[in-house]
Amino acid sequence: MLSESNDRVPTGAGIGLRLPHIAEIVATLPPVPWLEIHPENFLANPHATELLLAARRQYQVSVHTVGISIGSAHGIDRSHLKRVRSLIDMVDPFLVSGHLAWSTHAGEYLNDLLPLPYDDETLDLLEAHIDEVQEGLGRPYLVENPSSYVGFGASTISEVEFLSELVRRTGCQLLCDVSNVYLSAHNMDYDAHRYIDGLPADAVGELHLGGFAAEDDEAQPGGELLVDTHATIVAEPAWDLYAYAIRRFGRKPTLIEWDNDIPPLATLLAEAARADEIARATLSGRAHRAVAG
Ligand SMILES: [Fe+2]
């Protein structure tokens, strides 16, 4: 099992370092404790990497991979893993994470994070792949719960049981995307609080919060599907669930995820400040509604 000291893990809320904001962040150094990057945005962009390294001199950084695809039946792309490792060695992040999903097939990179059946065969596959990723990156990997819209009839265990077993087998950690829990519970008709209760709390090293949108559910006339757009502010019920998650997991580095229709930097900073306020109020015993804006 890989382990590393977490004495430099920031407790406050961070924001994504997305390309439209990178020059502004380097120039203005906004008061936020950490930044998250998608390494794939920097691997072929030397100018952006230069700015990233300038930002890194001022901020802790978390690396969130979107192309490692631990769920691919064809295995891990080792050359991609090596490229990510090189960037990680330059940036020295406090965490590295990725999704419980697959997004590549036979060398083709797809634009979606696709779901997996939760059964013994997939567990064996993911165990081998997470071992390979942790070995290749030289550090623990945090696996993020996906946003779900459909399930597999072949699944034999729940997502929480699946993630817990991965933690047990590989020593990986978990990134709990609270918004994904909320919207998946809505879409898949399960209890979001029970999902949070079921995760192995000691393994949760980071939280995500992102905006989602309601769309008509074509499979269910009159029904509503929540879609993980990362294109708007965090919804009120997701803030409520965040307070619940903080009570269970304690204060963890929390990312405000916003990847589409990217707003002014000030909007992201305000969302991060709200996450900090809710965390402080929750842990000091006050109802977070008292500080919710
Ligand atoms: Fe997320």
Side-chain angles (χ1 to χ4, degrees):
M1 186 186 301
L2 294 157
S3 65
E4 68 169 8
S5 160
N6 66 354
D7 56 3
R8 66 193 178 97
V9 174
T11 51
I15 62 172
L17 183 66
R18 303 299 179 248
L19 296 180
H21 291 148
I22 189 165
E24 184 181 356
I25 286 176
V26 170
T28 63
L29 302 180
V32 66
W34 61 280
L35 305 168
E36 184 218 63
I37 65 158
H38 293 170
E40 289 80 2
N41 289 341
F42 296 90
L43 294 179
N45 190 336
H47 177 58
T49 302
E50 216 172 283
L51 289 169
L52 165 62
L53 294 175
R56 176 66 184 90
R57 287 195 278 277
Q58 304 295 330
Y59 297 99
Q60 292 283 355
V61 164
S62 159
V63 167
H64 188 53
T65 65
V66 293
I68 286 185
S69 190
I70 57 172
S72 287
H74 281 82
I76 300 295
D77 178 343
R78 290 186 185 168
S79 58
H80 182 68
L81 194 61
K82 269 192 180 165
R83 288 194 294 273
V84 172
R85 171 71 188 256
S86 315
L87 190 75
I88 282 173
D89 286 345
M90 280 196 282
V91 169
D92 188 23
F94 66 92
L95 293 174
V96 181
S97 60
H99 303 93
L100 178 65
W102 61 281
S103 57
T104 65
H105 178 71
E108 292 290 319
Y109 277 76
L110 310 169
N111 254 341
D112 285 305
L113 297 166
L114 297 163
L116 295 161
Y118 299 136
D119 59 12
D120 286 339
E121 189 182 348
T122 317
L123 267 175
D124 291 343
L125 184 83
L126 271 282
E127 177 184 357
H129 288 173
I130 292 171
D131 284 346
E132 188 177 341
V133 168
Q134 295 192 123
E135 199 59 44
L137 298 181
R139 58 179 66 224
Y141 195 61
L142 278 70
V143 177
E144 176 177 0
N145 57 298
S147 52
S148 300
Y149 309 94
V150 291
F152 283 89
S155 290
T156 54
I157 58 175
S158 71
E159 188 171 288
V160 162
E161 291 168 319
F162 191 90
L163 287 167
S164 303
E165 184 62 11
L166 286 180
V167 168
R168 194 188 67 76
R169 290 189 189 191
T170 69
C172 72
Q173 297 168 14
L174 298 177
L175 191 175
C176 177
D177 187 315
V178 174
S179 295
N180 284 357
V181 173
Y182 181 82
L183 75 88
S184 299
H186 171 90
N187 293 341
M188 307 293 289
D189 198 22
Y190 59 75
D191 186 312
H193 297 92
R194 281 189 62 189
Y195 186 105
I196 299 275
D197 291 343
L199 290 174
D202 290 348
V204 174
E206 186 183 351
L207 304 175
H208 271 183
L209 282 165
F212 51 77
E215 293 185 5
D216 289 341
D217 183 354
E218 288 171 14
Q220 241 183 40
E224 185 186 74
L225 205 60
L226 297 180
V227 179
D228 188 28
T229 57
H230 293 185
T232 185
I233 56 171
V234 176
E236 292 304 319
W239 286 121
D240 290 339
L241 192 61
Y242 177 60
Y244 187 85
I246 289 280
R247 265 181 236 117
R248 169 139 169 76
F249 303 136
R251 198 162 180 200
K252 299 288 174 186
T254 298
L255 176 77
I256 301 298
E257 279 196 299
W258 202 316
D259 296 294
N260 299 298
D261 299 334
I262 293 181
L265 186 56
T267 304
L268 294 185
L269 295 172
E271 289 283 273
R274 186 168 179 191
D276 283 338
E277 278 300 299
I278 288 173
R280 273 194 288 269
T282 300
L283 294 179
S284 69
R286 289 183 286 138
H288 81 274
R289 286 181 194 286
V291 296

